[in-house]
Amino acid sequence: MIVQCPHCAVRLTIPAPRPGDPPTECPECAGIFLPQPATAAVPPVPEAAAVEDDDPFTTAEPRRAPEPAPKGRGAKAKAKAKAGAKPERKFPVLLVGGAVLAMAAVVGLVVVLMSGDKPKPVAANPDPEPAPKKVVAPKKDGQRPLPPQPKPTVPPEFAELFAASVTNRPAPTVLVPSLQKIGPDDLTVPPFASKAAPPEGGGKMTIDETKKATAYLKVSAGAVRGSGSGFVVRATGDELLVATNQHVISPRSASPIDGPPQVTVVFESGLPGEWERPGQVVAADAELDLALVRVTKAERVPKPIDPDLAPKLAELMEVRICGFPYGDALSIGTRNPNITIGRGAVSSIRLNDAGAVGRVQLDGSLNPGNSGGPVVDTDGRLAGVAVATIKGSGIGLAIPAHELSALLAGRVYPAVVLSSGSETNQGAFRVLAPLADPLDRVKGAALHVWTGATVPAPEADDEAGWKPLPGANKVELARVDLGATTRAMVGEFRLPAGAKAPAVALQLECRSATGAVLRSKPVAYKFVLNGVQSASDAIPIETFRKNLAKYAGQVVAVRGKLVPGTPRRGAVYEVTVSDDSDVRPEGLTFVADREVATQLSEIPPEDQALPVRLTLKVGTPAANGTAAARVAQIDFIGRGNRIVSTVPATEPAGDELVALNRAPEKFVGQELTVMAYLSPVVAGRDDDPELSLLLFSEQRPGNLHFTASPALAAKVRDPALRGFLHPARVTLKVEAKELDGVGPRVVTVKKIELLDRAGRPRSVLE
C-alpha cells in the first residue's frame, strides 16, 4: 500500500499492516507513525501550458521535479514537514538563551536558537521527494555543535547473520527454446490505405471552419494538470474523433497509481457558445507521438480536417498554426482560452530512413500548448500536426499528415515472438502483434509458419504485398484488448526441438473489413536453445516459515514477493517480504547489508509486490518462535519462472553515478563526470547548499550528499529551471569525508551541463 509520512510528507510503498504490527519508521526523517493510506489531496500542479517548456525538443510538459522534504529528525523534522506544505517564505530566528522552543502543534513552526545562522526558507512541496540526508544539529548560545554521531553497528539480534560472508546458492539452469530474427525485416504489414486518388481541390476549409474543428484539450491525472490542442478528423452522427499528440493525453509527470488521465475536449473555446465533452482515448502511438480521442453526444458537429486530403508539401509553403499556446494563462475571466492562429512557412521537409517524410520543419512560432493542433495551408488542408519546438530558435516541428492517416486506417506494429516454454521434443512460442485500429478496419489476422531446410525466396504480390509462403502452416490470431488504448493480435504455435534445428520463416497476414488482404515479407529466424536461470528450486515462503528450526544456520532459496524499500536499522536494512497472497509471514524479519539495500533503492517503487527468489542465511529461532534471516541475494522472477535480474548485480554498473553510489569509498579524491537528472531545488543554508541529483531511474542515490558553491547553487535556483527534471552531465569531486561522520559521502558539484534530447549541452552552470 502507498502511505505518506506525516512528518516529512514523503510517500512510501509498504505492505498492508497487520494487527499488532509496531509503528512504521520513516526511512528518510526517522519519524514514527501508524501507517494510513495516502489519500490526502496533494496541492495541484500548475498546468503544463502555463510553464515554459524546459526541453527544446518537445512541447510536452517534462516530468515534474518534486521539492525536497525538510531535513532533520524528530520533532524538528516533523514541524518543518508541516511548514513545507505552505507557500515559500522565510521565518525569523529568535534567540532564546540555552533552549529550543518547539511550537509545531500550534503553528507548525519550530523556533530554533541559531546564533549567527541565516533563516532557512521552507519551500512549497506539491509532490514530496524523499528528504535530503543531511542532519544539522541545532546550536545553542554559548555551546559548540554536537559531536559527530558514532558509526552505526549491527544490532545484537542480527549479529550471527553478519558474522561472516554468505555463499549464495546459484539458481538452476534450464534450456529454453527461442527464435532469433535474421536480417533487418520486421514482421509487420503496412496500413490499409485507400488507393483512390483524393478529389481535386478536396479538403479545403475556411478559417471559420478550421477554428470550429480545432479543440482545446484539458487533461488531469491525480494532482497533475495539463492542456494542449487537437482537431476533429472524423465525424459520424454525433460522434467525433479528435487527433492530438500522445504526450498531451498522457503527461510524463503523471503517476501510474493515479489511474488513466481524464481528458476534457472543449470546442469553440473562449466563445459565448463554447461547449465541452469528456473524451475517451481510443488509440495512441508513443513513437509517433499521436493519439485519437473519441467524443460522443456532440452539441454541434464541425467539419473535419481530413488528413487523407493533405496538400503536397513544398519548402516555403505558407501555413497557419492553430491551437491554444500557454493554455489558461492566456484566458480572460472564467472562460477557456480563445484559439490562436499564427503565420508560418515550411522551411524543411525532413525524410526518415525509409525515404518518407518523417517531420515537417516550420519557420513559425510553436509554444507549449500548441501541441496536437493542426498546421494547415492557406486553403485549410492539413500539412501536419504540431508536436515540438526548438526553444529560442523560432523553429517548430510537425508530424506529417500521412502518419495520422495511417493511424486512422489501422496500424499493425512489428510482431514479437516469445518463448512460452518447452514440451517433449517441441518448443512452444507465442506471437503478439500490437494494433492501433480506432475505426475497426482490421478484421482478422493469421501467421504463416514455415519450417524446412532452406527458407524459400520471397515473392512480391501487387495486391497483398507478398505471396504466402508455400507449404506453411497457417495459424489464426485472436484480437485481444491489453488496455484502454492497446490491442494486439495474438496466437501460439509449436516447433520441433530435435537434435537438428530446422530453418524457420514467419509471415504475418491481415484482413480488412472490406476483404482486402495484406501480407508481410517473410522473415527468417534461427531456432536456438538457451540456458537460462530458473527459480524452480525455491521453496514457498509458507513452507519455510513452518520449518524454521529445520533451516536454522543454513543457506536456503525461498520464493516470495518483495516491495522495494529498505528502512535502515543501525548498520543493516530491513527488507519487506510477503507470500504469494501478499501476506507478511508472522515472526520473520528479513535484513540485508548496504550493498543489497543500495541496489534495491535504484529500482523505481512499484504499487505491488514483485515475485522474487531469495537466498537467505537463516538465524536461530528464539524461544517464542520468531527468527531473522539475512537476504544475501534477490532474483526477480519473470514469465515462465525465469530469473530476469539479480540484486546485487554481478556485472559492473554501466552508469557512473550508479557505480559511485554503490561504493563511494572507492572514488575518494577523484573528479568524475556523471550523467544524472538535476532536480532544480536547493536545500540547506545559503553558505552550505545541498543539490538534488537523481539517477536516471529517478531514484535518489542514498549514499551520496551533493554540495556546491553558493554561486552554483544560486544558478540552480533559477526560476526558469524550476518544476522539472533536467538531464545533465555533471562534473563532481568525491570528498574524503562523510556527512556528520556517519552519513552519506560528501560530493562537491563543480559544473552542470544541461542537455537536450540529443545529448548536446544547451546551457552550463558553474
Side-chain angles (χ1 to χ4, degrees):
M1 72 187 259
I2 306 294
V3 299
Q4 190 168 23
C5 175
H7 311 309
C8 69
V10 68
R11 285 194 172 196
L12 309 170
T13 303
I14 66 171
R18 301 169 302 188
D21 275 1
T24 295
E25 178 181 355
C26 177
E28 299 299 333
C29 70
I32 303 297
F33 66 96
L34 291 173
Q36 299 291 335
T39 56
V42 181
V45 178
E47 294 191 3
V51 183
E52 185 178 3
D53 185 4
D54 79 315
D55 187 336
F57 284 86
T58 178
T59 54
E61 180 180 3
R63 188 175 299 277
R64 294 194 168 273
E67 300 285 352
K71 299 184 291 183
R73 304 192 187 278
K76 182 175 179 180
K78 298 175 186 178
K80 287 194 175 184
K82 294 181 180 179
K86 298 185 178 182
E88 182 172 347
R89 59 176 180 162
K90 296 189 176 182
F91 297 104
V93 177
L94 305 181
L95 300 179
V96 182
V100 177
L101 300 181
M103 302 174 64
V106 180
V107 294
L109 303 176
V110 175
V111 182
V112 184
L113 282 174
M114 298 285 289
S115 177
D117 281 359
K118 297 180 180 180
K120 296 183 180 181
V122 180
N125 193 2
D127 191 7
E129 267 189 8
K133 313 297 186 292
K134 184 176 179 180
V135 178
V136 180
K139 298 178 183 179
K140 298 183 180 181
D141 285 341
Q143 292 188 1
R144 295 181 179 178
L146 296 176
Q149 302 177 26
K151 288 279 187 181
T153 58
V154 175
E157 62 269 29
F158 305 134
E160 67 166 321
L161 299 176
F162 293 89
S165 60
V166 177
T167 301
N168 286 318
R169 288 186 50 162
T173 300
V174 297
L175 293 177
V176 176
S178 66
L179 289 176
Q180 297 178 355
K181 187 165 70 76
I182 301 172
D185 296 320
D186 287 322
L187 193 60
T188 188
V189 296
F192 285 103
S194 173
K195 296 183 180 180
E200 186 69 25
K204 291 185 178 181
M205 299 181 65
T206 65
I207 286 291
D208 187 59
E209 289 173 331
T210 302
K211 289 167 62 177
K212 289 181 179 179
T214 305
Y216 176 52
L217 273 61
K218 298 186 290 186
V219 182
S220 62
V224 178
R225 301 291 183 271
S227 67
S229 306
F231 57 100
V232 177
V233 292
R234 292 287 187 271
T236 305
D238 64 352
E239 184 176 291
L240 307 177
L241 206 57
V242 177
T244 185
N245 288 143
Q246 193 270 348
H247 74 249
V248 170
I249 56 90
S250 183
R252 288 180 292 173
S253 52
S255 170
I257 66 175
D258 293 323
Q262 304 299 308
V263 181
T264 301
V265 186
V266 183
F267 296 91
E268 302 176 39
S269 179
L271 300 177
E274 75 173 17
W275 55 280
E276 63 182 47
R277 287 289 183 272
Q280 176 192 6
V281 181
V282 294
D285 188 316
E287 182 178 350
L288 293 175
D289 204 353
L290 287 173
L292 294 169
V293 179
R294 178 175 288 130
V295 174
T296 58
K297 299 180 180 179
E299 284 190 16
R300 293 179 288 278
V301 179
K303 180 180 177 180
I305 302 175
D306 193 341
D308 294 340
L309 304 177
K312 183 178 180 180
L313 296 174
E315 289 85 354
L316 303 182
M317 173 192 289
E318 291 188 20
V319 294
R320 304 291 182 262
I321 302 166
C322 309
F324 299 87
Y326 298 108
D328 283 344
L330 297 184
S331 62
I332 298 177
T334 58
R335 290 181 179 175
N336 290 301
N338 291 87
I339 188 173
T340 296
I341 300 179
R343 294 177 180 271
V346 175
S347 57
S348 179
I349 301 172
R350 301 197 172 276
L351 306 182
N352 57 26
D353 291 339
V357 179
R359 281 291 186 270
V360 182
Q361 182 176 312
L362 305 173
D363 182 7
S365 179
L366 263 69
N367 296 292
N370 273 122
S371 293
V375 178
V376 299
D377 68 357
T378 53
D379 288 325
R381 297 174 297 178
L382 185 68
V385 183
V387 66
T389 184
I390 301 177
K391 186 187 295 183
S393 68
I395 294 176
L397 297 173
I399 303 167
H402 72 83
E403 296 286 14
L404 180 56
S405 292
L407 186 61
L408 288 166
R411 181 187 292 271
V412 180
Y413 299 93
V416 293
V417 181
L418 306 170
S419 171
S420 55
S422 59
E423 300 175 1
T424 304
N425 297 325
Q426 283 191 327
F429 297 91
R430 173 174 294 180
V431 62
L432 184 148
L435 174 69
D437 187 24
L439 301 181
D440 290 329
R441 292 184 174 177
V442 179
K443 289 303 181 183
L447 184 71
H448 296 263
V449 181
W450 182 94
T451 58
T454 304
V455 176
E459 296 184 52
D461 185 281
D462 293 337
E463 294 294 327
W466 299 92
K467 292 183 179 181
L469 283 164
N473 181 34
K474 188 175 181 179
V475 179
E476 288 294 329
L477 305 182
R479 178 168 171 157
V480 299
D481 291 336
L482 302 179
T485 63
T486 307
R487 299 171 180 84
M489 310 299 291
V490 299
E492 295 185 346
F493 62 96
R494 286 169 171 75
L495 295 174
K500 185 177 180 181
V504 179
L506 303 178
Q507 184 180 37
L508 185 65
E509 175 184 292
C510 290
R511 301 181 295 275
S512 74
T514 61
V517 176
L518 290 174
R519 297 186 195 93
S520 71
K521 183 179 180 180
V523 179
Y525 289 82
K526 181 181 179 181
F527 184 91
V528 295
L529 290 172
N530 295 317
V532 299
Q533 288 188 306
S534 168
S536 57
D537 67 326
I539 59 176
I541 198 169
E542 301 92 333
T543 305
F544 170 69
R545 176 65 185 89
K546 294 175 183 178
N547 298 275
L548 281 177
K550 172 183 175 182
Y551 298 113
Q554 299 183 32
V555 176
V556 298
V558 174
R559 182 188 179 102
K561 296 174 78 173
L562 175 142
V563 178
T566 52
R568 187 169 180 172
R569 299 181 62 176
V572 302
Y573 301 78
E574 185 170 353
V575 180
T576 305
V577 178
S578 66
D579 61 20
D580 288 338
S581 301
D582 295 323
V583 177
R584 294 166 59 189
E586 294 185 5
L588 266 178
T589 302
F590 299 88
V591 291
D593 59 16
R594 191 187 77 168
E595 181 183 22
V596 172
T598 296
Q599 295 194 30
L600 272 183
S601 70
E602 299 166 6
I603 303 173
E606 299 280 346
D607 58 355
Q608 60 183 0
L610 303 175
V612 291
R613 173 188 181 270
L614 303 172
T615 300
L616 302 177
K617 171 67 180 296
V618 186
T620 304
N624 60 1
T626 62
R630 176 181 175 181
V631 180
Q633 181 172 297
I634 303 171
D635 298 310
F636 290 90
I637 303 173
R639 185 175 48 84
N641 212 30
R642 282 178 278 177
I643 292 172
V644 294
S645 63
T646 298
V647 170
T650 55
E651 66 278 0
D655 184 304
E656 293 87 349
L657 185 56
V658 170
L660 174 59
N661 184 52
R662 290 180 181 179
E665 62 278 356
K666 295 182 180 179
F667 299 90
V668 170
Q670 297 185 32
E671 188 168 289
L672 307 173
T673 299
V674 303
M675 305 297 291
Y677 275 132
L678 170 68
S679 177
V681 290
V682 181
R685 299 192 307 268
D686 289 342
D687 61 346
D688 185 20
E690 179 183 357
L691 303 189
S692 180
L693 296 178
L694 305 181
L695 306 172
F696 277 136
S697 63
E698 298 184 20
Q699 302 305 298
R700 184 183 297 275
N703 294 326
L704 305 175
H705 171 87
F706 299 100
T707 187
S709 67
L712 177 54
K715 294 180 180 179
V716 174
R717 289 190 180 99
D718 185 351
L721 301 178
R722 195 170 183 183
F724 307 113
L725 297 182
H726 302 268
R729 182 185 297 114
V730 183
T731 302
L732 44 80
K733 182 180 180 181
V734 184
E735 306 293 351
K737 60 181 180 179
E738 295 177 320
L739 191 65
D740 296 327
V742 297
R745 178 72 55 178
V746 175
V747 177
T748 302
V749 176
K750 301 290 188 180
K751 182 172 72 172
I752 302 173
E753 298 174 84
L754 302 180
L755 308 176
D756 61 24
R757 182 169 291 182
R760 297 184 295 260
R762 56 186 176 90
S763 61
V764 179
L765 312 178
E766 59 181 337

